[in-house]
């Protein structure tokens, strides 16, 4: 069973003996020294530690809410071992014990793939990757053995429940401010009178009308003005191209 990765701070990851990095046994120490800056990945069976991006084989992250899904990531790592390495590995397997050659090759491939997944997720602005899956195949022949590791996952944007609630409240405040501004604008324009000149006395509306006229011409401007009056809840005006003032 693949184990879900957990989040750790950089200070925690560098804390020394007994810390997160100390989960590796002696054979893993050199690998940790060569790990990438942002993804510290154990070649052992222990969980990986990712400083910024949470990566997990599960579909969700406990305590977080997924607010955006992005295009899935696919990483392919291919690595071969030469005849001598295979012979040494075979000798170790024949007489028992662990095959250090294969362990090192597989650890290196998993570390490279995981670091690449995190780098790609970071590049698109993701804060997590869910549904991570490792598929390992091997091809042998003519004194060579090739390992093929395919890794897939879905980058996501994660937020805490408090962050989601705060964002929702902020969106409601902005929408209410927009509604209040439109109401104030409608009341101000309505108080000026019912003529086209009165309607265009609003500076913001006049600026919009000039831009529409510049881009699309007078006929489109007629429809724009009629639509804006309707949006503001104002009585319609009898408008046509000829009724438009020479300058706006």
């Amino acid at each position: 069973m693949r184990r879900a990765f957990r989040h750790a701070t950089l200070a925690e990851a560098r804390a020394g003996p007994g810390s997160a990095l100390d989960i590796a046994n002696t054979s893993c120490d050199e690998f940790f020294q060569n790990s990438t800056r942002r993804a510290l990945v154990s070649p052992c069976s222990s969980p990986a530690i990712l400083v910024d991006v949470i990566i997990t084989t599960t579909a969700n992250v406990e305590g977080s809410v997924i607010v955006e899904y992005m295009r899935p990531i696919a990483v392919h790592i291919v690595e071969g071992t030469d005849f001598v390495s295979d012979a040494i590995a075979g000798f170790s397997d024949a007489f028992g014990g662990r095959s250090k050659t294969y362990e090192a090759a597989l650890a290196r491939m998993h570390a490279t793939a995981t670091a690449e997944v995190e780098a790609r997720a970071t590049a698109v602005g993701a804060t997590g990757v869910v549904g991570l899956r490792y598929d390992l195949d091997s091809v042998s022949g003519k004194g060579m053995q090739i390992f093929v590791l395919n890794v897939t996952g879905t980058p996501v944007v994660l937020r805490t429940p408090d962050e989601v609630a705060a964002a929702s409240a902020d969106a409601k405040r902005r929408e209410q401010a927009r509604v209040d501004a439109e109401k104030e604008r409608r009341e101000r324009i309505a108080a000026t009178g019912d003529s086209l000149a009165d309607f265009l006395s609003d500076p913001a509306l006049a600026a919009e009308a000039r831009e529409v006229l510049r881009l699309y011409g007078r006929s489109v401007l007629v429809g724009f003005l009629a639509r804006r009056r309707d949006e503001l809840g104002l009585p319609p005006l009898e408008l046509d191209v000829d009724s438009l003032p020479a300058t706006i």
Side-chain angles (χ1 to χ4, degrees):
M1 179 183 297
R2 298 187 179 95
R3 302 172 65 180
F5 302 159
R6 71 180 183 83
H7 185 76
T9 64
L10 186 58
E12 178 185 351
R14 293 175 173 172
S19 67
L21 285 186
D22 200 37
I23 59 175
N25 59 28
T26 303
S27 64
C28 301
D29 291 342
E30 182 179 354
F31 182 85
F32 272 112
Q33 295 173 7
N34 297 326
S35 297
T36 61
R37 180 180 62 84
R38 292 174 59 82
L40 305 177
V41 186
S42 171
C44 309
S45 58
S46 303
I49 302 168
L50 298 177
V51 175
D52 294 315
V53 177
I54 297 176
I55 301 182
T56 177
T57 58
T58 62
N60 297 287
V61 177
E62 184 177 357
S64 297
V65 179
I66 297 176
V67 297
E68 182 180 355
Y69 288 87
M70 301 178 180
R71 185 185 299 274
I73 293 172
V75 175
H76 312 287
I77 305 295
V78 179
E79 183 166 326
T81 57
D82 58 25
F83 179 81
V84 175
S85 296
D86 285 347
I88 295 174
F91 180 85
S92 175
D93 291 339
F95 289 90
R98 296 166 57 178
S99 173
K100 301 299 183 180
T101 302
Y102 285 152
E103 285 184 1
L106 294 175
R108 185 165 55 248
M109 293 176 67
H110 277 75
T112 301
T114 306
E116 179 67 18
V117 166
E118 192 207 20
R120 294 191 186 183
T122 302
V124 297
T127 56
V129 178
V130 297
L132 195 71
R133 178 175 177 177
Y134 295 92
D135 291 309
L136 181 66
D137 294 317
S138 63
V139 179
S140 302
K142 296 183 178 181
M144 287 288 295
Q145 184 161 8
I146 298 175
F147 293 113
V148 181
L149 179 64
N150 301 302
V151 183
T152 57
T154 302
V156 295
V157 176
L158 299 170
R159 295 287 185 269
T160 66
D162 289 343
E163 290 173 333
V164 172
S168 177
D170 186 57
K172 290 180 180 178
R173 285 194 296 270
R174 290 198 303 270
E175 176 61 19
Q176 187 60 50
R178 186 194 66 80
V179 171
D180 292 343
E182 282 292 287
K183 179 180 178 181
E184 188 275 333
R185 185 182 187 187
R186 179 173 62 251
E187 292 174 349
R188 184 178 68 253
I189 295 175
T192 61
D194 295 329
S195 68
L196 179 59
D198 295 330
F199 186 48
L200 292 175
S201 64
D202 180 70
L205 181 60
E208 292 177 4
R210 285 193 296 270
E211 185 66 9
V212 171
L213 177 62
R214 183 182 70 83
L215 293 174
Y216 305 107
R218 298 173 70 83
S219 59
V220 174
L221 177 59
V222 171
F224 166 78
L225 294 173
R227 185 171 62 254
R228 289 298 284 129
R229 286 189 68 86
D230 183 63
E231 291 171 353
L232 291 170
L234 299 174
L237 289 174
E238 294 295 330
L239 295 174
D240 54 40
V241 174
D242 296 331
S243 65
L244 293 175
T247 58
I248 297 178

